Amino acid sequence: MAYWLLKSEPSAYSWDRLVADRGTNWDGVRNAQALNNMRAMKPGDRAFFYHSNEGKDIVGVAEIVRGFYADPNDKSGKLGMVDVRPVIAAVKPVTLAQMKANPELTGMALLRQSRLSVCPVTEREWQVVCEMAGLDNR
DNA sequence: GCCAACGTTGGC
DNA sequence: GCCAACGTTGGC
């Protein structure tokens, strides 16, 4: 199983909305690198849900329930989406500042490439952040 | 194929 | 609101 991080501005689509919707199609991604990360996603993979701009914190864990598939509205054939569902909210949201301050997380893609909206997360990083979030390695 | 100009994201 | 760090576009 692989681990990921999905960014969303809460004003555009928040964790609360994901919970209320019980899941959503993660579409609208245009960046090539982010799309490549999405192509590598498989059902069962887990992803942190990160609020950008407002909050700047990881607020929950989501699960990939359907791997990458083409966006039917995209003529270029390059765009696509995955389906996600909420798993559990963070007991304690983990802020960007906290992650930056943790020496174990200096290599995190989120910190190295601030503009990448779909980031890979290593198993070690996943464990560390879960612990910070008050989630016992979920 | 290079690179300047421009647009976008997202932290501060 | 500003700006750094990208990505994209288009002229050459």
PDB file of all heavy atoms in Angstrom, chain A residues 29-49:
ATOM      1  N   VAL A  29      -7.295  18.274 -11.366  1.00  0.00           N
ATOM      2  CA  VAL A  29      -5.838  18.391 -11.275  1.00  0.00           C
ATOM      3  C   VAL A  29      -5.248  18.564 -12.673  1.00  0.00           C
ATOM      4  O   VAL A  29      -5.529  17.760 -13.561  1.00  0.00           O
ATOM      5  CB  VAL A  29      -5.235  17.141 -10.585  1.00  0.00           C
ATOM      6  CG1 VAL A  29      -3.715  17.209 -10.602  1.00  0.00           C
ATOM      7  CG2 VAL A  29      -5.762  17.019  -9.170  1.00  0.00           C
ATOM      8  N   ARG A  30      -4.430  19.595 -12.860  1.00  0.00           N
ATOM      9  CA  ARG A  30      -3.887  19.879 -14.197  1.00  0.00           C
ATOM     10  C   ARG A  30      -2.376  19.674 -14.258  1.00  0.00           C
ATOM     11  O   ARG A  30      -1.822  19.452 -15.326  1.00  0.00           O
ATOM     12  CB  ARG A  30      -4.195  21.324 -14.602  1.00  0.00           C
ATOM     13  CG  ARG A  30      -5.666  21.675 -14.492  1.00  0.00           C
ATOM     14  CD  ARG A  30      -6.004  22.919 -15.286  1.00  0.00           C
ATOM     15  NE  ARG A  30      -7.054  22.639 -16.247  1.00  0.00           N
ATOM     16  CZ  ARG A  30      -6.832  22.350 -17.521  1.00  0.00           C
ATOM     17  NH1 ARG A  30      -5.600  22.308 -17.980  1.00  0.00           N
ATOM     18  NH2 ARG A  30      -7.826  22.100 -18.335  1.00  0.00           N
ATOM     19  N   ASN A  31      -1.753  19.766 -13.114  1.00  0.00           N
ATOM     20  CA  ASN A  31      -0.300  19.659 -13.072  1.00  0.00           C
ATOM     21  C   ASN A  31       0.155  18.240 -13.438  1.00  0.00           C
ATOM     22  O   ASN A  31      -0.365  17.253 -12.927  1.00  0.00           O
ATOM     23  CB  ASN A  31       0.176  20.026 -11.667  1.00  0.00           C
ATOM     24  CG  ASN A  31       1.670  19.867 -11.517  1.00  0.00           C
ATOM     25  OD1 ASN A  31       2.156  18.775 -11.270  1.00  0.00           O
ATOM     26  ND2 ASN A  31       2.401  20.945 -11.676  1.00  0.00           N
ATOM     27  N   ALA A  32       1.145  18.162 -14.339  1.00  0.00           N
ATOM     28  CA  ALA A  32       1.575  16.872 -14.876  1.00  0.00           C
ATOM     29  C   ALA A  32       2.135  15.957 -13.788  1.00  0.00           C
ATOM     30  O   ALA A  32       1.859  14.758 -13.768  1.00  0.00           O
ATOM     31  CB  ALA A  32       2.611  17.087 -15.966  1.00  0.00           C
ATOM     32  N   GLN A  33       2.903  16.538 -12.894  1.00  0.00           N
ATOM     33  CA  GLN A  33       3.507  15.731 -11.842  1.00  0.00           C
ATOM     34  C   GLN A  33       2.444  15.196 -10.879  1.00  0.00           C
ATOM     35  O   GLN A  33       2.491  14.038 -10.459  1.00  0.00           O
ATOM     36  CB  GLN A  33       4.520  16.588 -11.083  1.00  0.00           C
ATOM     37  CG  GLN A  33       5.688  15.805 -10.541  1.00  0.00           C
ATOM     38  CD  GLN A  33       6.696  16.720  -9.858  1.00  0.00           C
ATOM     39  OE1 GLN A  33       6.781  17.907 -10.182  1.00  0.00           O
ATOM     40  NE2 GLN A  33       7.429  16.175  -8.912  1.00  0.00           N
ATOM     41  N   ALA A  34       1.504  16.051 -10.563  1.00  0.00           N
ATOM     42  CA  ALA A  34       0.414  15.628  -9.687  1.00  0.00           C
ATOM     43  C   ALA A  34      -0.412  14.531 -10.354  1.00  0.00           C
ATOM     44  O   ALA A  34      -0.810  13.555  -9.711  1.00  0.00           O
ATOM     45  CB  ALA A  34      -0.469  16.831  -9.340  1.00  0.00           C
ATOM     46  N   LEU A  35      -0.633  14.673 -11.658  1.00  0.00           N
ATOM     47  CA  LEU A  35      -1.393  13.653 -12.390  1.00  0.00           C
ATOM     48  C   LEU A  35      -0.641  12.326 -12.401  1.00  0.00           C
ATOM     49  O   LEU A  35      -1.240  11.252 -12.273  1.00  0.00           O
ATOM     50  CB  LEU A  35      -1.662  14.124 -13.823  1.00  0.00           C
ATOM     51  CG  LEU A  35      -2.782  15.163 -13.973  1.00  0.00           C
ATOM     52  CD1 LEU A  35      -2.728  15.819 -15.340  1.00  0.00           C
ATOM     53  CD2 LEU A  35      -4.156  14.517 -13.742  1.00  0.00           C
ATOM     54  N   ASN A  36       0.682  12.406 -12.552  1.00  0.00           N
ATOM     55  CA  ASN A  36       1.475  11.181 -12.518  1.00  0.00           C
ATOM     56  C   ASN A  36       1.352  10.479 -11.178  1.00  0.00           C
ATOM     57  O   ASN A  36       1.252   9.256 -11.114  1.00  0.00           O
ATOM     58  CB  ASN A  36       2.946  11.498 -12.811  1.00  0.00           C
ATOM     59  CG  ASN A  36       3.218  11.536 -14.295  1.00  0.00           C
ATOM     60  OD1 ASN A  36       2.489  10.936 -15.087  1.00  0.00           O
ATOM     61  ND2 ASN A  36       4.244  12.250 -14.685  1.00  0.00           N
ATOM     62  N   ASN A  37       1.365  11.248 -10.111  1.00  0.00           N
ATOM     63  CA  ASN A  37       1.180  10.659  -8.785  1.00  0.00           C
ATOM     64  C   ASN A  37      -0.185   9.989  -8.690  1.00  0.00           C
ATOM     65  O   ASN A  37      -0.317   8.895  -8.138  1.00  0.00           O
ATOM     66  CB  ASN A  37       1.322  11.731  -7.708  1.00  0.00           C
ATOM     67  CG  ASN A  37       2.759  12.187  -7.529  1.00  0.00           C
ATOM     68  OD1 ASN A  37       3.692  11.437  -7.816  1.00  0.00           O
ATOM     69  ND2 ASN A  37       2.938  13.409  -7.068  1.00  0.00           N
ATOM     70  N   MET A  38      -1.192  10.635  -9.260  1.00  0.00           N
ATOM     71  CA  MET A  38      -2.536  10.056  -9.206  1.00  0.00           C
ATOM     72  C   MET A  38      -2.625   8.763 -10.014  1.00  0.00           C
ATOM     73  O   MET A  38      -3.342   7.837  -9.641  1.00  0.00           O
ATOM     74  CB  MET A  38      -3.561  11.073  -9.716  1.00  0.00           C
ATOM     75  CG  MET A  38      -3.829  12.177  -8.686  1.00  0.00           C
ATOM     76  SD  MET A  38      -4.782  13.548  -9.358  1.00  0.00           S
ATOM     77  CE  MET A  38      -6.329  12.739  -9.760  1.00  0.00           C
ATOM     78  N   ARG A  39      -1.863   8.714 -11.114  1.00  0.00           N
ATOM     79  CA  ARG A  39      -1.864   7.490 -11.929  1.00  0.00           C
ATOM     80  C   ARG A  39      -1.317   6.297 -11.158  1.00  0.00           C
ATOM     81  O   ARG A  39      -1.648   5.156 -11.452  1.00  0.00           O
ATOM     82  CB  ARG A  39      -1.024   7.705 -13.187  1.00  0.00           C
ATOM     83  CG  ARG A  39      -1.773   8.438 -14.268  1.00  0.00           C
ATOM     84  CD  ARG A  39      -1.065   8.398 -15.611  1.00  0.00           C
ATOM     85  NE  ARG A  39      -1.734   9.325 -16.514  1.00  0.00           N
ATOM     86  CZ  ARG A  39      -1.404  10.602 -16.650  1.00  0.00           C
ATOM     87  NH1 ARG A  39      -0.374  11.084 -16.001  1.00  0.00           N
ATOM     88  NH2 ARG A  39      -2.089  11.388 -17.449  1.00  0.00           N
ATOM     89  N   ALA A  40      -0.455   6.595 -10.194  1.00  0.00           N
ATOM     90  CA  ALA A  40       0.180   5.516  -9.422  1.00  0.00           C
ATOM     91  C   ALA A  40      -0.706   5.061  -8.256  1.00  0.00           C
ATOM     92  O   ALA A  40      -0.373   4.094  -7.572  1.00  0.00           O
ATOM     93  CB  ALA A  40       1.536   5.999  -8.901  1.00  0.00           C
ATOM     94  N   MET A  41      -1.814   5.721  -8.037  1.00  0.00           N
ATOM     95  CA  MET A  41      -2.677   5.374  -6.896  1.00  0.00           C
ATOM     96  C   MET A  41      -3.469   4.108  -7.156  1.00  0.00           C
ATOM     97  O   MET A  41      -3.939   3.866  -8.268  1.00  0.00           O
ATOM     98  CB  MET A  41      -3.649   6.526  -6.612  1.00  0.00           C
ATOM     99  CG  MET A  41      -2.968   7.752  -6.057  1.00  0.00           C
ATOM    100  SD  MET A  41      -4.163   9.078  -5.768  1.00  0.00           S
ATOM    101  CE  MET A  41      -3.069  10.348  -5.114  1.00  0.00           C
ATOM    102  N   LYS A  42      -3.608   3.318  -6.100  1.00  0.00           N
ATOM    103  CA  LYS A  42      -4.381   2.085  -6.206  1.00  0.00           C
ATOM    104  C   LYS A  42      -5.434   2.054  -5.101  1.00  0.00           C
ATOM    105  O   LYS A  42      -5.229   2.652  -4.042  1.00  0.00           O
ATOM    106  CB  LYS A  42      -3.453   0.881  -6.032  1.00  0.00           C
ATOM    107  CG  LYS A  42      -2.446   0.753  -7.156  1.00  0.00           C
ATOM    108  CD  LYS A  42      -1.849  -0.643  -7.191  1.00  0.00           C
ATOM    109  CE  LYS A  42      -1.160  -0.913  -8.514  1.00  0.00           C
ATOM    110  NZ  LYS A  42      -0.160   0.119  -8.851  1.00  0.00           N
ATOM    111  N   PRO A  43      -6.533   1.375  -5.360  1.00  0.00           N
ATOM    112  CA  PRO A  43      -7.555   1.254  -4.308  1.00  0.00           C
ATOM    113  C   PRO A  43      -6.926   0.703  -3.024  1.00  0.00           C
ATOM    114  O   PRO A  43      -6.124  -0.230  -3.089  1.00  0.00           O
ATOM    115  CB  PRO A  43      -8.555   0.262  -4.901  1.00  0.00           C
ATOM    116  CG  PRO A  43      -8.381   0.390  -6.373  1.00  0.00           C
ATOM    117  CD  PRO A  43      -6.928   0.708  -6.594  1.00  0.00           C
ATOM    118  N   GLY A  44      -7.275   1.297  -1.907  1.00  0.00           N
ATOM    119  CA  GLY A  44      -6.711   0.873  -0.631  1.00  0.00           C
ATOM    120  C   GLY A  44      -5.586   1.767  -0.151  1.00  0.00           C
ATOM    121  O   GLY A  44      -5.255   1.766   1.027  1.00  0.00           O
ATOM    122  N   ASP A  45      -4.967   2.509  -1.072  1.00  0.00           N
ATOM    123  CA  ASP A  45      -3.935   3.469  -0.670  1.00  0.00           C
ATOM    124  C   ASP A  45      -4.556   4.520   0.242  1.00  0.00           C
ATOM    125  O   ASP A  45      -5.742   4.823   0.150  1.00  0.00           O
ATOM    126  CB  ASP A  45      -3.333   4.176  -1.895  1.00  0.00           C
ATOM    127  CG  ASP A  45      -2.362   3.284  -2.671  1.00  0.00           C
ATOM    128  OD1 ASP A  45      -2.138   2.148  -2.241  1.00  0.00           O
ATOM    129  OD2 ASP A  45      -1.850   3.750  -3.708  1.00  0.00           O
ATOM    130  N   ARG A  46      -3.708   5.071   1.111  1.00  0.00           N
ATOM    131  CA  ARG A  46      -4.188   6.094   2.045  1.00  0.00           C
ATOM    132  C   ARG A  46      -3.591   7.446   1.690  1.00  0.00           C
ATOM    133  O   ARG A  46      -2.493   7.514   1.150  1.00  0.00           O
ATOM    134  CB  ARG A  46      -3.779   5.721   3.478  1.00  0.00           C
ATOM    135  CG  ARG A  46      -4.458   4.447   3.994  1.00  0.00           C
ATOM    136  CD  ARG A  46      -5.871   4.749   4.405  1.00  0.00           C
ATOM    137  NE  ARG A  46      -6.687   3.552   4.491  1.00  0.00           N
ATOM    138  CZ  ARG A  46      -7.191   3.087   5.627  1.00  0.00           C
ATOM    139  NH1 ARG A  46      -6.932   3.681   6.759  1.00  0.00           N
ATOM    140  NH2 ARG A  46      -7.976   2.022   5.613  1.00  0.00           N
ATOM    141  N   ALA A  47      -4.317   8.489   2.030  1.00  0.00           N
ATOM    142  CA  ALA A  47      -3.838   9.838   1.732  1.00  0.00           C
ATOM    143  C   ALA A  47      -4.195  10.803   2.856  1.00  0.00           C
ATOM    144  O   ALA A  47      -5.326  10.790   3.348  1.00  0.00           O
ATOM    145  CB  ALA A  47      -4.439  10.335   0.419  1.00  0.00           C
ATOM    146  N   PHE A  48      -3.223  11.614   3.249  1.00  0.00           N
ATOM    147  CA  PHE A  48      -3.526  12.706   4.159  1.00  0.00           C
ATOM    148  C   PHE A  48      -4.329  13.759   3.407  1.00  0.00           C
ATOM    149  O   PHE A  48      -4.114  13.982   2.215  1.00  0.00           O
ATOM    150  CB  PHE A  48      -2.241  13.352   4.688  1.00  0.00           C
ATOM    151  CG  PHE A  48      -1.501  12.510   5.675  1.00  0.00           C
ATOM    152  CD1 PHE A  48      -0.139  12.258   5.509  1.00  0.00           C
ATOM    153  CD2 PHE A  48      -2.147  11.980   6.765  1.00  0.00           C
ATOM    154  CE1 PHE A  48       0.553  11.486   6.420  1.00  0.00           C
ATOM    155  CE2 PHE A  48      -1.462  11.192   7.693  1.00  0.00           C
ATOM    156  CZ  PHE A  48      -0.106  10.948   7.515  1.00  0.00           C
ATOM    157  N   PHE A  49      -5.233  14.387   4.123  1.00  0.00           N
ATOM    158  CA  PHE A  49      -6.024  15.470   3.542  1.00  0.00           C
ATOM    159  C   PHE A  49      -5.521  16.772   4.139  1.00  0.00           C
ATOM    160  O   PHE A  49      -5.646  17.009   5.340  1.00  0.00           O
ATOM    161  CB  PHE A  49      -7.506  15.251   3.861  1.00  0.00           C
ATOM    162  CG  PHE A  49      -8.441  16.070   3.002  1.00  0.00           C
ATOM    163  CD1 PHE A  49      -9.023  15.515   1.872  1.00  0.00           C
ATOM    164  CD2 PHE A  49      -8.739  17.391   3.327  1.00  0.00           C
ATOM    165  CE1 PHE A  49      -9.891  16.262   1.077  1.00  0.00           C
ATOM    166  CE2 PHE A  49      -9.598  18.145   2.525  1.00  0.00           C
ATOM    167  CZ  PHE A  49     -10.175  17.577   1.402  1.00  0.00           C
TER     168      PHE A  49
END
